[in-house]
Amino acid sequence: MSNIEISEVSSHLERKAFITFPWRIYVNDPAWVPPLIIERKAFLDRKRHPFYQHGDAALFLASKNSEIVGRIMASDDPNYNALHQTNVGCFGLFECINNRDVAAALFERAEGWLREKGRTEIMGPIDYSTNYVCGLLIDGFQFPPTILTAHNPPYYRDLIESCGFIKAKDWYAWWFADPAKAVAQLRRLATRFNTYCPATIRSANLGNLRDESRRLRQIYNQAWEKNWG
């Protein structure tokens, strides 16, 4: 591993290299959907992204023989740990050539950064939080990813597990072969539910987005607060 160098991203040029590196990994993957460069820049903008109002993150690049061969992000969210009574940090945005030494060097640097923050556990892949892309694809590589779902080469699982990680949770993405049938079934369920718990279903009031968004945020937070991650 002596010829593998891990450096923290600090310049605009390094940030650009971090953002564009996946094009090398997925050059021959017909299922990959490239991200929008402008969106990735905004996602990593420390001055504008809301995560940095309460959390912190660092980006790292791996180079071998002066060529970029991997990347990773380490993130620390004090709000998450306070809510869940944990002491965990996250890794995300992981991309790497099929080389265990490169992967190990990336994880060692990310773990060291989180250790300096006082964290004793690391989980991922999670890009900041579960409100963004998270999880590792382990089946269905032939399908293109939908919005906010993960896509990666099959060898990532072996790389990550070889570095000491174990799977914590299975997540599933579902394809509806016939959306019309799904809608009909949901309507039947809603009607049956309404007999036991009367509720009014109305359209959103687009003329009062401030109050409507406040209600949506309250419901969303209550519904997801105790979910894993």
Side-chain angles (χ1 to χ4, degrees), residues 134-161:
C134 56
L136 184 73
L137 187 67
I138 61 173
D139 193 18
F141 300 98
Q142 71 274 28
F143 299 110
T146 54
I147 293 175
L148 293 179
T149 57
H151 185 78
N152 52 261
Y155 67 81
Y156 275 20
R157 179 178 185 175
D158 290 337
L159 281 185
I160 293 175
E161 290 182 344

Short mmCIF file of all heavy atoms in Angstrom, two decimals, residues 134-161:
data_model
loop_
_atom_site.label_atom_id
_atom_site.label_comp_id
_atom_site.label_asym_id
_atom_site.label_seq_id
_atom_site.Cartn_x
_atom_site.Cartn_y
_atom_site.Cartn_z
N CYS A 134 -28.49 6.08 -0.02
CA CYS A 134 -27.82 5.24 0.98
C CYS A 134 -28.02 3.77 0.63
O CYS A 134 -28.88 3.42 -0.18
CB CYS A 134 -28.33 5.54 2.39
SG CYS A 134 -30.11 5.36 2.57
N GLY A 135 -27.22 2.92 1.25
CA GLY A 135 -27.31 1.49 0.99
C GLY A 135 -26.38 1.06 -0.13
O GLY A 135 -25.85 1.87 -0.89
N LEU A 136 -26.17 -0.25 -0.20
CA LEU A 136 -25.29 -0.85 -1.19
C LEU A 136 -26.09 -1.83 -2.03
O LEU A 136 -26.75 -2.72 -1.49
CB LEU A 136 -24.14 -1.59 -0.49
CG LEU A 136 -23.06 -2.18 -1.41
CD1 LEU A 136 -22.20 -1.07 -1.99
CD2 LEU A 136 -22.20 -3.18 -0.65
N LEU A 137 -26.07 -1.68 -3.34
CA LEU A 137 -26.77 -2.59 -4.22
C LEU A 137 -26.06 -3.94 -4.23
O LEU A 137 -24.86 -4.02 -4.51
CB LEU A 137 -26.81 -2.02 -5.64
CG LEU A 137 -27.65 -2.79 -6.66
CD1 LEU A 137 -29.13 -2.72 -6.30
CD2 LEU A 137 -27.42 -2.25 -8.07
N ILE A 138 -26.80 -5.02 -3.92
CA ILE A 138 -26.22 -6.35 -3.92
C ILE A 138 -26.94 -7.30 -4.88
O ILE A 138 -26.54 -8.45 -5.04
CB ILE A 138 -26.19 -6.97 -2.51
CG1 ILE A 138 -27.60 -7.11 -1.94
CG2 ILE A 138 -25.32 -6.14 -1.57
CD1 ILE A 138 -27.64 -7.87 -0.61
N ASP A 139 -28.00 -6.82 -5.51
CA ASP A 139 -28.73 -7.62 -6.50
C ASP A 139 -29.49 -6.68 -7.43
O ASP A 139 -29.85 -5.57 -7.03
CB ASP A 139 -29.71 -8.57 -5.79
CG ASP A 139 -30.26 -9.63 -6.73
OD1 ASP A 139 -29.65 -9.84 -7.80
OD2 ASP A 139 -31.28 -10.25 -6.40
N GLY A 140 -29.73 -7.13 -8.66
CA GLY A 140 -30.46 -6.30 -9.61
C GLY A 140 -29.59 -5.28 -10.32
O GLY A 140 -30.05 -4.19 -10.65
N PHE A 141 -28.34 -5.65 -10.57
CA PHE A 141 -27.40 -4.71 -11.19
C PHE A 141 -27.79 -4.33 -12.62
O PHE A 141 -27.32 -3.32 -13.14
CB PHE A 141 -25.99 -5.30 -11.19
CG PHE A 141 -25.47 -5.61 -9.82
CD1 PHE A 141 -25.54 -6.89 -9.31
CD2 PHE A 141 -24.92 -4.61 -9.03
CE1 PHE A 141 -25.07 -7.18 -8.03
CE2 PHE A 141 -24.45 -4.88 -7.76
CZ PHE A 141 -24.52 -6.18 -7.26
N GLN A 142 -28.65 -5.13 -13.24
CA GLN A 142 -29.04 -4.87 -14.62
C GLN A 142 -30.07 -3.77 -14.75
O GLN A 142 -30.33 -3.28 -15.84
CB GLN A 142 -29.58 -6.16 -15.28
CG GLN A 142 -30.95 -6.62 -14.78
CD GLN A 142 -30.87 -7.49 -13.53
OE1 GLN A 142 -29.94 -7.36 -12.73
NE2 GLN A 142 -31.84 -8.38 -13.38
N PHE A 143 -30.66 -3.36 -13.61
CA PHE A 143 -31.69 -2.34 -13.65
C PHE A 143 -31.11 -0.96 -13.37
O PHE A 143 -30.30 -0.81 -12.46
CB PHE A 143 -32.79 -2.63 -12.62
CG PHE A 143 -33.49 -3.94 -12.85
CD1 PHE A 143 -33.31 -5.00 -11.97
CD2 PHE A 143 -34.34 -4.11 -13.93
CE1 PHE A 143 -33.95 -6.21 -12.17
CE2 PHE A 143 -34.99 -5.31 -14.14
CZ PHE A 143 -34.80 -6.37 -13.26
N PRO A 144 -31.53 0.04 -14.12
CA PRO A 144 -31.07 1.40 -13.81
C PRO A 144 -31.67 1.87 -12.49
O PRO A 144 -32.79 1.50 -12.14
CB PRO A 144 -31.61 2.23 -14.98
CG PRO A 144 -32.77 1.46 -15.50
CD PRO A 144 -32.43 0.01 -15.28
N PRO A 145 -30.94 2.68 -11.74
CA PRO A 145 -31.46 3.14 -10.45
C PRO A 145 -32.57 4.17 -10.62
O PRO A 145 -32.57 4.95 -11.58
CB PRO A 145 -30.23 3.77 -9.78
CG PRO A 145 -29.39 4.24 -10.94
CD PRO A 145 -29.61 3.22 -12.02
N THR A 146 -33.51 4.16 -9.70
CA THR A 146 -34.51 5.21 -9.65
C THR A 146 -33.98 6.34 -8.78
O THR A 146 -32.89 6.24 -8.21
CB THR A 146 -35.85 4.68 -9.09
OG1 THR A 146 -35.60 4.06 -7.83
CG2 THR A 146 -36.46 3.65 -10.04
N ILE A 147 -34.74 7.40 -8.65
CA ILE A 147 -34.28 8.57 -7.89
C ILE A 147 -33.96 8.19 -6.45
O ILE A 147 -34.75 7.52 -5.79
CB ILE A 147 -35.34 9.68 -7.94
CG1 ILE A 147 -35.47 10.22 -9.37
CG2 ILE A 147 -34.97 10.83 -6.99
CD1 ILE A 147 -36.57 11.24 -9.54
N LEU A 148 -32.79 8.60 -5.97
CA LEU A 148 -32.34 8.39 -4.59
C LEU A 148 -32.18 6.92 -4.23
O LEU A 148 -32.30 6.54 -3.06
CB LEU A 148 -33.29 9.07 -3.60
CG LEU A 148 -33.29 10.61 -3.65
CD1 LEU A 148 -34.29 11.16 -2.62
CD2 LEU A 148 -31.91 11.18 -3.39
N THR A 149 -31.89 6.07 -5.21
CA THR A 149 -31.54 4.68 -4.91
C THR A 149 -30.11 4.42 -5.37
O THR A 149 -29.61 5.06 -6.30
CB THR A 149 -32.49 3.68 -5.59
OG1 THR A 149 -32.49 3.91 -7.01
CG2 THR A 149 -33.89 3.82 -5.05
N ALA A 150 -29.46 3.48 -4.72
CA ALA A 150 -28.04 3.24 -4.96
C ALA A 150 -27.81 2.41 -6.22
O ALA A 150 -28.64 1.58 -6.60
CB ALA A 150 -27.43 2.54 -3.75
N HIS A 151 -26.67 2.62 -6.83
CA HIS A 151 -26.21 1.78 -7.93
C HIS A 151 -24.70 1.69 -7.84
O HIS A 151 -24.02 2.70 -7.64
CB HIS A 151 -26.62 2.35 -9.29
CG HIS A 151 -26.28 1.45 -10.43
ND1 HIS A 151 -27.02 0.34 -10.76
CD2 HIS A 151 -25.25 1.49 -11.32
CE1 HIS A 151 -26.49 -0.27 -11.79
NE2 HIS A 151 -25.40 0.40 -12.16
N ASN A 152 -24.18 0.49 -7.94
CA ASN A 152 -22.73 0.29 -7.81
C ASN A 152 -22.34 -1.02 -8.47
O ASN A 152 -23.20 -1.88 -8.73
CB ASN A 152 -22.33 0.28 -6.33
CG ASN A 152 -23.14 -0.68 -5.50
OD1 ASN A 152 -24.09 -0.26 -4.82
ND2 ASN A 152 -22.82 -1.96 -5.54
N PRO A 153 -21.04 -1.23 -8.74
CA PRO A 153 -20.59 -2.49 -9.31
C PRO A 153 -20.78 -3.64 -8.32
O PRO A 153 -20.76 -3.43 -7.10
CB PRO A 153 -19.11 -2.25 -9.59
CG PRO A 153 -18.94 -0.77 -9.61
CD PRO A 153 -19.95 -0.25 -8.64
N PRO A 154 -20.93 -4.88 -8.80
CA PRO A 154 -21.09 -6.03 -7.90
C PRO A 154 -19.93 -6.23 -6.94
O PRO A 154 -20.12 -6.71 -5.82
CB PRO A 154 -21.22 -7.21 -8.88
CG PRO A 154 -21.73 -6.60 -10.15
CD PRO A 154 -21.10 -5.25 -10.22
N TYR A 155 -18.71 -5.86 -7.33
CA TYR A 155 -17.54 -6.13 -6.49
C TYR A 155 -17.46 -5.24 -5.26
O TYR A 155 -16.66 -5.51 -4.36
CB TYR A 155 -16.25 -6.06 -7.31
CG TYR A 155 -15.87 -4.69 -7.82
CD1 TYR A 155 -15.23 -3.75 -7.00
CD2 TYR A 155 -16.11 -4.33 -9.15
CE1 TYR A 155 -14.86 -2.51 -7.48
CE2 TYR A 155 -15.74 -3.09 -9.64
CZ TYR A 155 -15.11 -2.18 -8.81
OH TYR A 155 -14.74 -0.95 -9.29
N TYR A 156 -18.29 -4.20 -5.17
CA TYR A 156 -18.24 -3.33 -4.00
C TYR A 156 -18.55 -4.09 -2.71
O TYR A 156 -18.00 -3.79 -1.65
CB TYR A 156 -19.21 -2.16 -4.15
CG TYR A 156 -18.65 -0.98 -4.92
CD1 TYR A 156 -17.55 -1.14 -5.78
CD2 TYR A 156 -19.21 0.28 -4.82
CE1 TYR A 156 -17.05 -0.06 -6.49
CE2 TYR A 156 -18.71 1.36 -5.53
CZ TYR A 156 -17.63 1.18 -6.36
OH TYR A 156 -17.13 2.25 -7.07
N ARG A 157 -19.47 -5.03 -2.79
CA ARG A 157 -19.82 -5.78 -1.57
C ARG A 157 -18.60 -6.49 -1.01
O ARG A 157 -18.33 -6.42 0.20
CB ARG A 157 -20.93 -6.78 -1.88
CG ARG A 157 -21.34 -7.61 -0.66
CD ARG A 157 -22.48 -8.57 -1.00
NE ARG A 157 -22.93 -9.27 0.19
CZ ARG A 157 -23.98 -10.10 0.21
NH1 ARG A 157 -24.67 -10.32 -0.90
NH2 ARG A 157 -24.33 -10.70 1.33
N ASP A 158 -17.84 -7.17 -1.87
CA ASP A 158 -16.65 -7.88 -1.40
C ASP A 158 -15.61 -6.90 -0.85
O ASP A 158 -14.96 -7.18 0.17
CB ASP A 158 -16.04 -8.72 -2.54
CG ASP A 158 -16.91 -9.92 -2.90
OD1 ASP A 158 -17.70 -10.36 -2.04
OD2 ASP A 158 -16.79 -10.41 -4.04
N LEU A 159 -15.43 -5.77 -1.53
CA LEU A 159 -14.46 -4.78 -1.06
C LEU A 159 -14.82 -4.29 0.34
O LEU A 159 -13.97 -4.25 1.24
CB LEU A 159 -14.42 -3.58 -2.01
CG LEU A 159 -13.63 -3.71 -3.31
CD1 LEU A 159 -13.62 -2.37 -4.04
CD2 LEU A 159 -12.20 -4.17 -3.06
N ILE A 160 -16.08 -3.91 0.53
CA ILE A 160 -16.49 -3.33 1.80
C ILE A 160 -16.47 -4.36 2.92
O ILE A 160 -15.98 -4.09 4.03
CB ILE A 160 -17.89 -2.69 1.66
CG1 ILE A 160 -17.81 -1.48 0.71
CG2 ILE A 160 -18.44 -2.26 3.01
CD1 ILE A 160 -19.15 -0.85 0.39
N GLU A 161 -16.95 -5.57 2.64
CA GLU A 161 -16.95 -6.61 3.68
C GLU A 161 -15.53 -7.06 4.01
O GLU A 161 -15.26 -7.43 5.15
CB GLU A 161 -17.81 -7.79 3.23
CG GLU A 161 -19.31 -7.46 3.22
CD GLU A 161 -20.16 -8.66 2.82
OE1 GLU A 161 -19.60 -9.64 2.28
OE2 GLU A 161 -21.39 -8.61 3.05
#
